[in-house]
Amino acid sequence: MELESRSDEGLADTPVEPGRVRAISLERAAEVSREIRDLISAGHERRAWELLRTLHPADMGSIVAGLPRSSREAMLRIMSPETVAWMFRQMNPAVAARIGTRIGAGMMSTILRQLRPQLALETLRRLPTLRVRPRLALETLRRLPTPTLRIRRESGSAESQLEDTLDESEPLAHSLDEAGAIMTASFPSVGRSELVESARANLRALEEDRERFSHVLVLDDGGELFGQISMVDLALSENDTPVADIAETVVATVNMDTPVEECARLQRHYNLTYLPVEEGGRVIGVIPSESLLSATVEEDTRQMMQVASVAGEVIDGPLMTSIRTRLPWLTVNLGTTFLAAATVSLFEPTLTQVVVLAAFLPVVAGQGGIGGTQTLTLIVRSIALGELVGVGATRILVREAALGILHGVWLGILVAVVAIIWKQNLGLGLVLGVAMFGNMIIAGSVGAAIPLLLRRMGVDPAVASAVIVTTITDVFGFLLFLGIASAAISLIQ
Amino acid sequence: MELESRSDEGLADTPVEPGRVRAISLERAAEVSREIRDLISAGHERRAWELLRTLHPADMGSIVAGLPRSSREAMLRIMSPETVAWMFRQMNPAVAARIGTRIGAGMMSTILRQLRPQLALETLRRLPTLRVRPRLALETLRRLPTPTLRIRRESGSAESQLEDTLDESEPLAHSLDEAGAIMTASFPSVGRSELVESARANLRALEEDRERFSHVLVLDDGGELFGQISMVDLALSENDTPVADIAETVVATVNMDTPVEECARLQRHYNLTYLPVEEGGRVIGVIPSESLLSATVEEDTRQMMQVASVAGEVIDGPLMTSIRTRLPWLTVNLGTTFLAAATVSLFEPTLTQVVVLAAFLPVVAGQGGIGGTQTLTLIVRSIALGELVGVGATRILVREAALGILHGVWLGILVAVVAIIWKQNLGLGLVLGVAMFGNMIIAGSVGAAIPLLLRRMGVDPAVASAVIVTTITDVFGFLLFLGIASAAISLIQ
């Protein structure tokens, strides 16, 4: 059964208007969620909706997303497409798509038309039913201001164009990671020779959307960027002030194809609230503050997830998405652990003679892995925050290697003492201590070198660093430990 | 030699004024950094400064931080305290403290007086020379609006008060993590019965600081919060409009002791640009947008770092700070790897019989560790983004366990096939496959359960999850693999 809008039934299906809702605590949100579930189970769907409609759309979204499917559908049947769009606007598109799976094509089309094109497309791409709705999909694609998609508008039938676009999902995914996908083409601006009065008039013409902007752009006659006027200055200026008198320099601009990652870096580094988008010297759009700030938070999430190899996933999303995200990395990692296994295998004769060595394999490798991950996480994040400008790679490498030496001395002595006491074997303790010392130096150096190297190669250091670093610390840890043990076997036996 | 201000020498030591500077690319920043170093080496310090003074303070800061010490000091000798403060405002306080180490007490005092109290204190706390400057430190502490510190103002001499405050560094550090530490007590407001004209007058009275605010607060007679007016609405309204007509509801407010972490969550969830701070029903301050957005980015950094056990560190900071942050975790982890070692040790008789088993220890443990970390990272981040509201713990546990089963089937078969072909040992392959299957289920369940459990206990799940989860996957991985191998030893030999 597909859900369709019931707004024609004349029910009180609109939420409390924006600007009149307050935040609720996490505890209250959990409580409301329970109450709504109970009310729906008892058949009081209208009363459940009365409770839900008083909430902020961000809270409404997370509560609806958390409901069991039948309760969720009961709520969606009551909500108008406008309300659903209002809620989707505050939501991760993957979650929106999961909620939207059972919404009928007609209602979904109305909802998508009320979203920013990029958000609409991101939602649409994740709908399992996408391929049966080529016209709906194409209509959304057409509204997207990215150049990659614009080229595709011109040739072929709707269905074949959609097939082309979806099958070539690589360039599509690429262009969605660019500034063009999160900008809006309608923004407040004023000519540099005009007065504050015109700036106000242009701003007023944007109607409800104007709350999204922190500045009015000042443009030259040719559409080139001259400067910006903050809303504060606009609020405090007289109508007959020339805008050129109060304009300030715009700190940063981007192009349509600037990666969203770079937009997020600019936001963090310069503490920006918006970004103008230029193309061929002219301003063609603006990334408004809500999109820019969401982009930064999403980039932070992506980065943290990518270090753990789970990028692109949301909790409670479809199982298939999770498998597609995680299993490839798990499989790659399996390959690298076999490298470690092959290293250990080389020393089977030694292990046969002194089987107690096997017990200490996880100690050497585990410590190296943690040490390497500490360093690489610090460097991946420092790169993202732009903290490594002018700091030479050599200086960082030397620093992390030095830390490896200091940590190695402490951990080497500690591990040696514990092993000597535990196994009553002086030789074993010494070999273990030396191997630990060596592996901590490797961990520090490699943990620093790999992300720096990946960045120099133009690869996102968050993506592959962790797998590479832990493989190296595993393999070299085993080589050191079992190699030294083999050489000094008479000491241990 | 301590650096002191040379501004009295009448040099052109001021930077290009704010509002007139543009961003530069990372490549250009690296270039400028090199040029400045070369100019200083050649004795052209003034020309180096002429280059530096045209930059945005954020870029000036990262370039100065990246210079070798002698060049950095040459630049600091030329800069006025105002310029240094301007640069420090855009900088991580740990980096600012490192740069500030050699700045003389007189100049440092002038610099700190121009910073937000919290930033000044954060910088001061990290100065190695702090204890020789009790008066400077206390003066900064006095300006801090947190209640914890306010209590301390009343008793004892300056030196003893400072000693008390610094020695009790735990409560100090605690209060700095609260909303009170990042709020400002001077913010634009207007009475609810007044006209837009008064709102404009109050905003104008804030002078340069007013650019930091996106809204003017509307207060009742008692100082209680009635609503907010956005700068956009203020810019578009006539002077004689009653403010009550255009006021909107404030989405969220916090108290002085609300954790900064919660402020960041509110910012992300509701896409906020500022937060009013209430105490006893009255508005006593506002967290302006730059502080709120920095807090969110810092929280994201802290969280990502904490999953890797490196929280609180900056790249290129003092070695001692890095050791203090990382070594305790490395030592805790050493303890946990010994648990894994003890598990392996239990099976020494089995390993003696079939030494080839040792080679596969890193395979079973490594995969479990990665799988568990994937799950826990996803859940830690979802908790921080508030995406788990109303989603029951059971549902998440079941979902992750199910993923563990699916991943385990694939990886178990794969690892069995590879082991059978490589070692020509059917029994080994089967044992390995079953152990892998089991450990992936454990990884999924534990990776989900630990952060959820820590949250329920009121502990930040980012802090300890990774160590606990990898310890469990190591120990149970070895127990499963070597346990099954021992039971089925006749199959393997």
Side-chain angles (χ1 to χ4, degrees):
Chain A
M1 173 220 61
E2 289 212 326
L3 299 169
E4 283 295 348
S5 169
R6 301 293 162 92
S7 58
D8 45 21
E9 293 177 19
L11 301 169
D13 52 5
T14 51
V16 172
E17 60 177 312
R20 298 280 160 225
V21 286
R22 280 189 55 85
I24 54 175
S25 69
L26 281 174
E27 293 71 33
R28 177 68 192 139
E31 231 173 76
V32 172
S33 171
R34 267 193 308 276
E35 285 170 31
I36 286 178
R37 218 172 301 191
D38 293 346
L39 284 169
I40 294 174
S41 314
H44 303 308
E45 304 186 352
R46 295 299 316 172
R47 278 174 56 199
W49 168 243
E50 285 306 316
L51 192 56
L52 200 61
R53 67 182 283 276
T54 60
L55 302 180
H56 190 283
D59 293 319
M60 194 187 281
S62 48
I63 289 174
V64 168
L67 290 175
R69 205 174 68 185
S70 61
S71 308
R72 191 164 66 225
E73 288 175 2
M75 284 299 95
L76 285 170
R77 258 192 296 276
I78 296 180
M79 292 161 93
S80 69
E82 291 69 31
T83 311
V84 179
W86 195 55
M87 188 175 73
F88 277 12
R89 248 177 245 137
Q90 303 270 341
M91 213 177 242
N92 185 314
V95 180
R98 186 167 60 84
I99 293 176
T101 310
R102 312 258 295 193
I103 295 178
M107 181 169 173
M108 187 51 108
S109 167
T110 317
I111 294 169
L112 291 181
R113 258 192 294 268
Q114 294 175 57
L115 298 180
R116 281 184 296 121
Q118 188 249 358
L119 188 60
L121 185 63
E122 287 280 3
T123 308
L124 193 66
R125 286 177 74 208
R126 290 177 165 85
L127 280 177
T129 41
L130 173 64
R131 277 167 192 278
V132 299
R133 296 174 189 171
R135 279 182 196 288
L136 177 59
L138 259 188
E139 181 192 299
T140 311
L141 291 177
R142 286 224 171 87
R143 290 162 54 216
L144 212 82
T146 52
T148 321
L149 294 169
R150 199 179 285 152
I151 295 164
R152 294 215 182 80
R153 288 184 197 178
E154 279 118 38
S155 59
S157 72
E159 284 73 11
S160 73
Q161 277 184 56
L162 179 66
E163 280 304 312
D164 288 353
T165 308
L166 294 175
D167 289 348
E168 295 164 30
S169 64
E170 193 50 43
L172 180 68
H174 180 65
S175 64
L176 285 174
D177 289 341
E178 293 175 353
I182 57 170
M183 76 170 206
T184 168
S186 100
F187 57 90
S189 70
V190 63
R192 70 179 280 192
S193 53
E194 293 189 76
L195 303 179
V196 157
E197 195 166 17
S198 318
R200 287 215 172 95
N202 294 348
L203 181 61
R204 194 172 279 119
L206 287 175
E207 299 188 356
E208 81 231 76
D209 248 10
R210 63 193 169 217
E211 292 288 338
R212 302 167 65 197
F213 302 98
S214 58
H215 291 79
V216 173
L217 291 187
V218 184
L219 304 180
D220 273 330
D221 294 342
E224 301 106 70
L225 188 61
F226 171 73
Q228 65 182 17
I229 303 174
S230 72
M231 291 301 166
V232 175
D233 287 339
L234 195 61
L236 297 184
S237 300
E238 299 298 329
N239 267 333
D240 54 1
T241 309
V243 294
D245 287 5
I246 55 169
E248 296 198 320
T249 304
V250 174
V251 171
T253 59
V254 291
N255 299 318
M256 293 265 270
D257 56 1
T258 303
V260 169
E261 194 182 336
E262 170 68 5
C263 300
R265 187 192 69 79
L266 290 168
Q267 191 280 315
R268 292 190 205 102
H269 186 58
Y270 298 108
N271 227 329
L272 302 177
T273 50
Y274 85 111
L275 262 172
V277 182
E278 289 179 317
E279 211 59 63
R282 299 183 60 241
V283 180
I284 55 157
V286 154
I287 306 177
S289 75
E290 64 176 28
S291 306
L292 187 60
L293 301 181
S294 306
T296 303
V297 170
E298 275 164 35
E299 273 302 310
D300 285 350
T301 302
R302 191 191 57 77
Q303 199 170 67
M304 180 173 167
M305 300 289 199
Q306 236 158 15
V307 169
S309 314
V310 268
E313 206 185 323
V314 282
I315 193 78
D316 209 28
L319 274 192
M320 266 315 292
T321 311
S322 299
I323 294 175
R324 265 201 302 265
T325 323
R326 297 191 214 172
L327 200 50
W329 281 108
L330 285 167
T331 309
V332 168
N333 194 65
L334 188 65
T336 72
T337 58
F338 268 107
L339 269 180
T343 312
V344 175
S345 234
L346 289 176
F347 297 96
E348 271 178 39
T350 309
L351 284 164
T352 311
Q353 285 178 275
V354 197
V355 79
V356 69
L357 290 174
F360 293 96
L361 292 175
V363 179
V364 178
Q367 285 301 103
I370 296 270
T373 309
Q374 284 186 332
T375 302
L376 89 86
T377 306
L378 187 64
I379 290 183
V380 164
R381 186 62 183 168
S382 299
I383 290 174
L385 294 177
E387 286 177 350
L388 289 190
V389 175
V391 180
T394 323
R395 193 155 113 201
I396 296 171
L397 279 174
V398 168
R399 182 177 187 281
E400 292 299 320
L403 275 174
I405 292 172
L406 295 169
H407 292 157
V409 167
W410 163 248
L411 295 170
I413 292 174
L414 197 63
V415 82
V417 169
V418 174
I420 291 168
I421 295 171
W422 182 20
K423 296 290 177 184
Q424 299 286 317
N425 188 331
L426 183 68
L428 173 71
L430 292 179
V431 169
L432 191 60
V434 173
M436 178 65 76
F437 174 70
N439 207 24
M440 290 314 292
I441 302 175
I442 292 172
S445 320
V446 169
I450 296 296
L452 291 173
L453 203 69
L454 288 176
R455 180 181 61 155
R456 191 158 294 180
M457 289 162 58
V459 179
D460 179 351
V463 177
S465 291
V467 170
I468 300 177
V469 169
T470 50
T471 304
I472 295 177
T473 52
D474 270 8
V475 167
F476 281 85
F478 294 144
L479 269 182
L480 271 175
F481 178 47
L482 296 175
I484 299 173
S486 302
I489 192 125
S490 58
L491 283 178
I492 308 174
Q493 269 182 314
Chain B
M1 174 219 58
E2 289 211 328
L3 299 169
E4 282 295 351
S5 168
R6 299 295 162 93
S7 59
D8 45 20
E9 292 177 20
L11 300 170
D13 53 3
T14 50
V16 171
E17 60 177 314
R20 298 281 162 224
V21 285
R22 280 188 56 84
I24 54 174
S25 68
L26 281 174
E27 292 72 32
R28 178 68 192 139
E31 231 173 76
V32 172
S33 170
R34 268 193 307 276
E35 285 170 31
I36 286 178
R37 216 172 300 191
D38 293 347
L39 283 169
I40 293 173
S41 314
H44 302 309
E45 304 185 351
R46 296 299 316 174
R47 278 173 58 197
W49 168 243
E50 286 304 316
L51 192 57
L52 200 60
R53 69 183 283 276
T54 59
L55 301 180
H56 191 283
D59 292 320
M60 194 186 284
S62 47
I63 288 175
V64 168
L67 289 175
R69 203 174 71 185
S70 60
S71 308
R72 189 164 68 225
E73 289 176 1
M75 286 297 94
L76 286 171
R77 256 193 296 276
I78 296 180
M79 292 161 93
S80 69
E82 291 70 29
T83 312
V84 179
W86 195 54
M87 187 174 75
F88 277 12
R89 248 177 245 135
Q90 302 273 339
M91 214 177 241
N92 185 313
V95 180
R98 187 167 59 83
I99 292 176
T101 310
R102 312 259 293 193
I103 295 177
M107 183 169 173
M108 187 51 107
S109 166
T110 317
I111 294 168
L112 292 181
R113 259 192 293 268
Q114 293 175 58
L115 299 180
R116 279 185 296 121
Q118 188 249 358
L119 187 59
L121 184 63
E122 288 279 3
T123 307
L124 195 65
R125 286 176 75 209
R126 290 178 166 86
L127 278 176
T129 42
L130 173 66
R131 276 167 192 279
V132 299
R133 296 174 189 172
R135 280 185 194 286
L136 176 60
L138 259 187
E139 180 190 303
T140 311
L141 292 177
R142 287 225 170 88
R143 290 161 55 214
L144 213 82
T146 53
T148 322
L149 294 168
R150 200 181 281 153
I151 295 163
R152 292 216 184 79
R153 286 185 200 178
E154 279 119 38
S155 61
S157 73
E159 284 73 12
S160 71
Q161 277 184 56
L162 179 67
E163 279 305 310
D164 288 352
T165 309
L166 294 175
D167 290 347
E168 294 164 31
S169 64
E170 193 52 41
L172 180 67
H174 180 64
S175 65
L176 285 174
D177 289 342
E178 294 175 353
I182 56 170
M183 78 171 206
T184 169
S186 102
F187 57 90
S189 69
V190 64
R192 72 179 279 193
S193 54
E194 295 190 73
L195 303 178
V196 158
E197 196 168 15
S198 317
R200 287 212 172 98
N202 294 349
L203 180 61
R204 194 172 278 121
L206 287 174
E207 300 190 357
E208 82 232 77
D209 249 10
R210 62 193 171 216
E211 293 289 337
R212 302 167 64 197
F213 302 98
S214 59
H215 292 79
V216 173
L217 293 187
V218 183
L219 304 180
D220 273 330
D221 293 342
E224 302 106 71
L225 188 59
F226 172 72
Q228 64 181 18
I229 304 175
S230 73
M231 292 301 165
V232 174
D233 286 339
L234 196 60
L236 297 184
S237 299
E238 298 298 331
N239 266 334
D240 55 0
T241 311
V243 295
D245 288 4
I246 55 170
E248 298 198 317
T249 304
V250 174
V251 171
T253 60
V254 292
N255 299 319
M256 292 267 268
D257 56 0
T258 303
V260 169
E261 195 182 334
E262 172 67 5
C263 301
R265 187 192 69 80
L266 290 168
Q267 190 279 316
R268 292 190 205 101
H269 186 60
Y270 298 107
N271 227 329
L272 303 177
T273 52
Y274 85 111
L275 262 172
V277 182
E278 290 179 317
E279 211 58 62
R282 300 184 58 242
V283 181
I284 54 156
V286 154
I287 306 177
S289 74
E290 64 176 29
S291 306
L292 186 60
L293 301 181
S294 307
T296 303
V297 170
E298 274 164 35
E299 272 303 312
D300 285 351
T301 301
R302 190 192 59 76
Q303 197 170 67
M304 179 173 166
M305 299 291 199
Q306 235 157 17
V307 169
S309 314
V310 270
E313 205 186 324
V314 281
I315 192 78
D316 209 30
L319 274 192
M320 267 315 293
T321 312
S322 298
I323 294 175
R324 265 202 302 266
T325 325
R326 296 191 215 173
L327 200 50
W329 282 108
L330 284 167
T331 308
V332 168
N333 194 65
L334 188 65
T336 71
T337 58
F338 269 106
L339 270 181
T343 313
V344 175
S345 234
L346 290 177
F347 297 97
E348 269 178 41
T350 309
L351 283 164
T352 311
Q353 284 178 274
V354 196
V355 79
V356 70
L357 289 173
F360 293 95
L361 292 174
V363 178
V364 178
Q367 285 300 103
I370 297 269
T373 309
Q374 285 185 330
T375 302
L376 88 87
T377 306
L378 187 65
I379 288 181
V380 164
R381 187 61 182 170
S382 299
I383 290 173
L385 294 178
E387 287 176 351
L388 290 190
V389 175
V391 181
T394 323
R395 192 154 113 200
I396 296 171
L397 279 175
V398 168
R399 183 180 186 278
E400 291 298 322
L403 274 174
I405 293 172
L406 295 169
H407 292 158
V409 167
W410 162 248
L411 295 171
I413 292 174
L414 197 62
V415 83
V417 169
V418 173
I420 291 168
I421 295 173
W422 181 23
K423 297 288 178 187
Q424 299 287 318
N425 187 331
L426 182 67
L428 174 70
L430 292 179
V431 170
L432 191 60
V434 173
M436 178 66 76
F437 175 69
N439 207 24
M440 291 313 293
I441 301 175
I442 292 172
S445 321
V446 169
I450 296 296
L452 291 172
L453 203 69
L454 288 176
R455 180 180 63 154
R456 191 159 293 183
M457 290 161 58
V459 178
D460 179 352
V463 176
S465 290
V467 171
I468 301 176
V469 169
T470 51
T471 304
I472 296 177
T473 51
D474 270 7
V475 167
F476 282 85
F478 294 144
L479 270 182
L480 271 175
F481 178 47
L482 295 175
I484 299 172
S486 302
I489 191 120
S490 57
L491 282 178
I492 308 175
Q493 268 183 315

